[in-house]
Amino acid sequence: MRFFPRKGVKMRRFPVIIAVALVALMLAAPVFAADESAAVEAGPLKVGDVLPDGLLAATLDGAPTDLKKNISDKPFTFFQFMTTACSACQGEMGAFIGLQLDMPGKFDVVAISMDMMGADAVNAYESKFKYGVKYLLDPDFKLPPRFNFPYTPSFFIVNQEGKIVYMKGGFMSSRWAKDRDAVVEVIQ
């Protein structure tokens, strides 16, 4: 493909093409700039932030739901990003359930599954492990980046007002005792 006409060919159309391309870029530039500045303005959520409206996942039956509507009536809610095939996610969930037994009435767990197989994968997972937590779906992995989490498992804790009080990415069973102490200190 040639960008310039061959020698001897009149260049009448070439300036018109360039002018049209420049006008299209000038018209599109504000749109691109607005999208980019909105993303920079929003930035990743962090401890101390309140969950904004519009952080959407889906229920197991496919209905959209805002994370704020899934905050427990207990003092705290743990939101865990997970997949059903992730052994570290299973370890973290088991650790949460153990902590929940040690601190009854203190918090609920909401697991947000990134599984592309959706409710089928989650229902099979729950049938096998019987964690008894609430599950939501985010198969497109849209929510974790809002919390600066590039992988699963990762979790954040909110209080009843939706304020983020703790965040942690990754899970290692060998480090859970230390992590557990940090979580307990926050939710005491």
Side-chain angles (χ1 to χ4, degrees):
M1 178 175 184
R2 295 185 65 111
F3 292 104
F4 297 101
R6 290 188 188 105
K7 281 188 175 182
V9 174
K10 293 184 181 179
M11 294 184 55
R12 274 184 264 153
R13 283 188 250 156
F14 188 68
V16 172
I17 292 170
I18 295 295
V20 169
L22 287 173
V23 168
L25 282 172
M26 288 174 20
L27 293 173
V31 172
F32 293 133
D35 287 347
E36 187 176 313
S37 66
V40 170
E41 228 175 81
L45 295 165
K46 59 191 178 309
V47 173
D49 291 346
V50 175
L51 291 181
D53 293 326
L55 292 176
L56 298 178
T59 62
L60 291 182
D61 59 4
T65 183
D66 195 300
L67 290 189
K68 278 185 162 181
K69 293 182 189 250
N70 292 278
I71 295 173
S72 171
D73 59 351
K74 294 182 180 164
F76 297 96
T77 305
F78 288 34
F79 286 93
Q80 181 203 32
F81 295 115
M82 51 80 69
T83 63
T84 59
C86 167
S87 61
C89 299
Q90 293 169 12
E92 185 174 74
M93 182 65 77
F96 291 163
I97 300 305
L99 182 59
Q100 204 172 34
L101 292 172
D102 292 344
M103 302 179 80
K106 198 70 169 172
F107 66 91
D108 277 326
V109 177
V110 176
I112 305 170
S113 171
M114 306 293 120
D115 288 278
M116 293 179 73
M117 295 293 292
D120 291 340
V122 171
N123 288 329
Y125 179 81
E126 179 59 24
S127 291
K128 180 178 181 180
F129 294 105
K130 300 186 182 353
Y131 290 128
V133 303
K134 182 176 194 172
Y135 291 94
L136 299 176
L137 303 172
D138 180 20
D140 297 326
F141 206 82
K142 289 182 180 180
L143 290 172
R146 288 297 316 271
F147 297 87
N148 208 23
F149 292 138
Y151 48 79
T152 63
S154 47
F155 75 100
F156 64 96
I157 303 171
V158 298
N159 62 17
Q160 284 183 320
E161 292 77 40
K163 181 179 179 183
I164 301 169
V165 297
Y166 188 84
M167 298 174 78
K168 172 92 172 66
F171 176 82
M172 293 176 58
S173 57
S174 61
R175 296 183 58 148
W176 173 241
K178 182 180 177 183
D179 294 338
R180 182 186 190 282
D181 290 344
V183 168
V184 168
E185 186 175 322
V186 168
I187 66 172
Q188 285 284 10

